[in-house]
Amino acid sequence: MSKKISLIGAGQIGGTLAHLIAIKELGNIVLFDVAEGLAKGKALDIAQSSGVTGFNVNIVGTNNYNDTKDSDVIIITAGVPRKPGMSRDDLLGTNLKIIKQVADGIKSTSPKAFVICITNPLDVIVMALQKYSGLPTNMIVGMAGILDSSRFKYFLSKELNEPIKNIHSMVLGGHGDTMVPMPKHTKIKNKILVDLVKENKISKSKLDEIVNRTRKGGAEIVKLLEKGSAFYAPAASGVEMAEAYIKDQKKTLPCAAYLNGEYGYKDIYAGVPVMIGKNGVEKILEIELENNEKSNFDVSINAVKELCNAAAKIDPVLGK
Ligand code: TXD
């Protein structure tokens, strides 16, 4: 039985999600947007590309949540993106209102869906989505770590002239300037990155530069595009999570997941390694963090907590 995948938001990321999911034939697609013409126009355009790429899935556009009823997977990009000079945190007020509307739209129509949230500021928005919707915490997850890890791996692959498929890494913590790239948990052809620094294969200063460029990766693209933010890599990252759920891959991926004591934190969403399979977030993997990694992680979690406090000031329901 084909899966039903609803994409809430048919903008830059939503449209790219729809195209990638169609080409991979992950399921039938409902592209939803308050801008009905945008959803319907992109759905029709992607559908018409099937004559070339040959995919055999249905795709429709709508602005009616009833059309998304009983979705197996929901991927949410509804919200406003950054403009040059804005931080992800500047989007909080506007996108909180939008995510409340989305939560109200999906909680009654698709209570059993696996929900992937992409809207920024990610960690606090996915927390708000879970509180507003009341869906189980293991079935609501945020996409950020896969994107940030992909950026980190890309910069390393260019610096080391190494095919990116030979590089394995994770970026943890909040999806912001305090995110935590993990050189001690990064392997290049099974060699730990910190050992390559010791062997002078890459200098410490160059590695620090790559860590910083990863943290600012989103802002770099926002500045270049002038209007909008990154969408190809975020969409590819969201599809990897959806595929792990749909195919029960039990894949370990860095995602914003609900912590209930793991890493010493409770009742907060943050980027950690999780296993995604048919039951959603099936496990949170607690990797050994050494001193500076743990302190950097704590700084990042505190930044998420501050945003959650700001959100609770906007809507006290979120503070409970
Ligand atoms: O790693 C990550 N998580 C981030 C997330 C990576 C890149 C971008 N990130 C964020 O995703 C970005 O800051 C935004 O908050 C979202 C979506 O970014 P996108 O580039 O797709 O924004 P667009 O192109 O403006 O699309 C947003 C769509 C647009 O078509 C609006 O009409 C629609 O959202 N929208 C709504 N849809 C449904 N319901 C409501 N209420 C609504 N309001 C706006």
Side-chain angles (χ1 to χ4, degrees):
M1 169 81 169
S2 290
K3 298 297 182 187
K4 181 173 182 177
I5 302 167
S6 291
L7 307 175
I8 313 298
Q12 296 286 72
I13 302 177
T16 309
L17 282 166
H19 195 204
L20 288 174
I21 289 166
I23 289 172
K24 289 171 77 78
E25 296 185 312
L26 284 183
N28 296 318
I29 302 159
V30 179
L31 193 50
F32 176 104
D33 203 293
V34 285
E36 184 184 13
L38 184 72
K40 289 188 170 173
K42 287 191 178 183
L44 184 57
D45 185 11
I46 292 168
Q48 290 168 357
S49 73
S50 61
V52 180
T53 50
F55 60 75
N56 182 28
V57 293
N58 293 323
I59 175 167
V60 295
T62 185
N63 71 342
N64 184 337
Y65 275 106
N66 289 332
D67 294 328
T68 69
K69 191 168 168 43
D70 298 330
S71 294
D72 296 286
V73 176
I74 294 177
I75 309 179
I76 299 169
T77 60
V80 297
R82 287 194 269 177
K83 293 183 176 66
M86 282 175 82
S87 76
R88 295 178 180 93
D89 302 0
D90 293 334
L91 304 173
L92 182 61
T94 305
N95 286 349
L96 267 185
K97 292 192 188 81
I98 291 173
I99 213 70
K100 174 78 170 64
Q101 292 170 9
V102 175
D104 292 343
I106 65 171
K107 65 184 177 185
S108 52
T109 48
S110 296
K112 292 190 168 50
F114 180 57
V115 182
I116 300 165
C117 182
I118 295 182
T119 303
N120 267 332
L122 192 269
D123 308 276
V124 62
I125 291 293
V126 65
M127 175 277 292
L129 176 69
Q130 194 281 322
K131 287 185 185 275
Y132 284 143
S133 67
L135 296 183
T137 52
N138 66 303
M139 295 298 276
I140 292 196
V141 65
M143 186 300 287
I146 298 173
L147 169 66
D148 298 328
S149 304
S150 185
R151 287 172 170 160
F152 187 56
K153 292 190 291 188
Y154 171 73
F155 297 140
L156 286 170
S157 82
K158 290 296 150 202
E159 177 61 26
L160 296 166
N161 193 26
E162 181 67 43
I164 200 164
K165 67 180 186 315
N166 296 339
I167 301 178
H168 302 280
S169 184
M170 283 199 188
V171 174
L172 306 183
H175 181 52
D177 293 349
T178 60
M179 65 177 77
V180 188
M182 310 281 281
K184 291 187 184 66
H185 296 274
T186 299
K187 284 189 174 173
I188 294 93
K189 277 206 308 201
N190 288 324
K191 202 144 178 106
I192 305 242
L193 180 54
V194 285
D195 293 340
L196 293 181
V197 175
K198 286 177 191 151
E199 295 165 16
N200 285 318
K201 296 281 187 346
I202 178 171
S203 69
K204 179 73 172 61
S205 60
K206 175 54 80 175
L207 176 55
D208 291 345
E209 191 185 305
I210 286 175
V211 165
N212 192 47
R213 192 177 176 193
T214 302
R215 287 181 165 145
K216 307 280 186 197
E220 181 180 359
I221 292 180
V222 167
K223 188 162 182 277
L224 288 167
L225 293 180
E226 294 183 2
K227 186 182 178 307
S229 50
F231 52 99
Y232 293 116
S237 304
V239 170
E240 182 170 35
M241 296 165 72
E243 187 169 29
Y245 174 77
I246 288 167
K247 295 182 178 175
D248 188 24
Q249 291 176 334
K250 302 201 184 306
K251 207 170 189 180
T252 298
L253 297 165
C255 302
Y258 180 76
L259 300 181
N260 188 23
E262 298 85 354
Y263 294 92
Y265 292 99
K266 279 174 94 75
D267 195 24
I268 190 167
Y269 270 85
V272 290
V274 302
M275 181 188 285
I276 294 182
K278 68 182 177 189
N279 295 313
V281 174
E282 299 188 355
K283 200 188 296 180
I284 292 179
L285 291 90
E286 291 201 74
I287 59 176
E288 192 61 42
L289 299 182
E290 294 180 8
N291 300 341
N292 68 321
E293 290 172 334
K294 182 68 173 83
S295 54
N296 289 339
F297 185 76
D298 292 341
V299 166
S300 192
I301 296 290
N302 285 333
V304 174
K305 280 183 177 175
E306 276 171 32
L307 265 184
C308 291
N309 293 337
K313 285 200 179 75
I314 296 169
D315 185 352
V317 162
L318 299 174
K320 293 191 181 94

